[in-house]
């Protein structure tokens, strides 16, 4: 009888551990990591096909020595492409007319993040803003800058 009780207790504890780990990590899917239809891996040709030629573009070298081509669409949409294969590795949107696949856009209140994605995987406070980060299983990231309870930018980052 005691072995039976032990096995039931062990099963309950295992279930509880799985449930807690699922609650603690809001892990989203790769399909949710995009803004304005641009996601990690999109090509320059795809972005130009959707948005046309950028207002400005420049070659950028990061602190880590990686080289990027950065497309700027009127300071509302910024897309960074790896120079090596011309695929998107980061996107920042500050316009309220572009959204994530789940319909989240600049100008919405931050409470929409919890209802769409659950608790953030990471939450950082800096200056007068908060950064809510959501990761997928591959290390890609969807994040939101929030100021005065409103989303002020939507960011996409490819796994490094």
């Amino acid at each position: 009888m005691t072995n039976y009780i032990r096995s039931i207790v062990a099963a309950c504890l295992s279930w509880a551990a799985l449930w807690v780990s699922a609650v603690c990590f809001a892990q989203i899917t790769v399909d949710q990591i995009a803004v304005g239809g641009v996601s990690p891996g999109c090509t320059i040709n795809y972005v130009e096909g959707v948005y046309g030629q950028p207002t400005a573009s420049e070659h950028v070298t990061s602190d880590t020595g990686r080289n990027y081509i950065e497309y700027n669409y009127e300071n509302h949409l910024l897309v960074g492409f790896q120079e090596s294969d011309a695929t998107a590795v980061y996107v920042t949107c500050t316009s309220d007319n572009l959204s994530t696949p789940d319909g989240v856009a600049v100008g919405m209140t931050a409470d929409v993040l919890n209802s769409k994605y659950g608790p953030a995987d990471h939450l950082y406070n800096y200056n007068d803003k908060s950064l809510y980060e959501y990761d997928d299983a591959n290390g890609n990231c969807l994040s939101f800058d929030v100021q005065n309870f409103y989303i002020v930018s939507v960011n996409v980052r490819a796994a490094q």
Side-chain angles (χ1 to χ4, degrees):
M1 178 87 164
T2 56
N3 285 339
Y4 176 72
I5 293 173
R6 284 183 189 157
S7 64
I8 288 177
V9 169
C12 289
L13 289 174
S14 295
W15 252 106
L18 286 173
W19 184 79
V20 168
S21 66
V23 170
C24 292
F25 300 103
Q27 199 161 84
I28 58 177
T29 66
V30 68
D31 296 341
Q32 293 175 290
I33 299 182
V35 61
V38 182
S39 60
C42 285
T43 65
I44 284 180
N45 289 337
Y46 170 79
V47 173
E48 287 178 353
V50 173
Y51 294 103
Q53 291 297 312
T55 309
S57 68
E58 65 178 310
H59 291 267
V60 177
T61 301
S62 72
D63 294 341
T64 60
R66 292 186 178 176
N67 295 316
Y68 300 102
I69 302 167
E70 196 169 82
Y71 274 23
N72 186 332
Y73 290 92
E74 298 187 18
N75 295 323
H76 295 292
L77 181 66
L78 186 71
V79 183
F81 302 94
Q82 291 186 105
E83 206 170 68
S84 60
D85 64 2
T87 58
V89 292
Y90 61 88
V91 183
T92 296
C93 176
T94 57
S95 175
D96 63 0
N97 66 341
L98 301 174
S99 65
T100 69
D102 293 303
V104 178
V106 167
M108 293 181 162
T109 58
D111 61 343
V112 73
L113 300 175
N114 197 41
S115 66
K116 293 288 183 179
Y117 306 112
D121 293 317
H122 309 280
L123 179 60
Y124 304 99
N125 293 308
Y126 63 99
N127 300 330
D128 59 345
K129 294 180 187 174
S130 296
L131 178 68
Y132 293 72
E133 286 187 346
Y134 299 88
D135 303 320
D136 74 4
N138 301 321
N140 299 307
C141 179
L142 178 64
S143 65
F144 303 87
D145 285 295
V146 174
Q147 186 173 34
N148 297 325
F149 306 107
Y150 288 93
I151 298 169
V152 294
S153 73
V154 179
N155 313 286
V156 169
R157 300 286 179 267
Q160 295 292 328

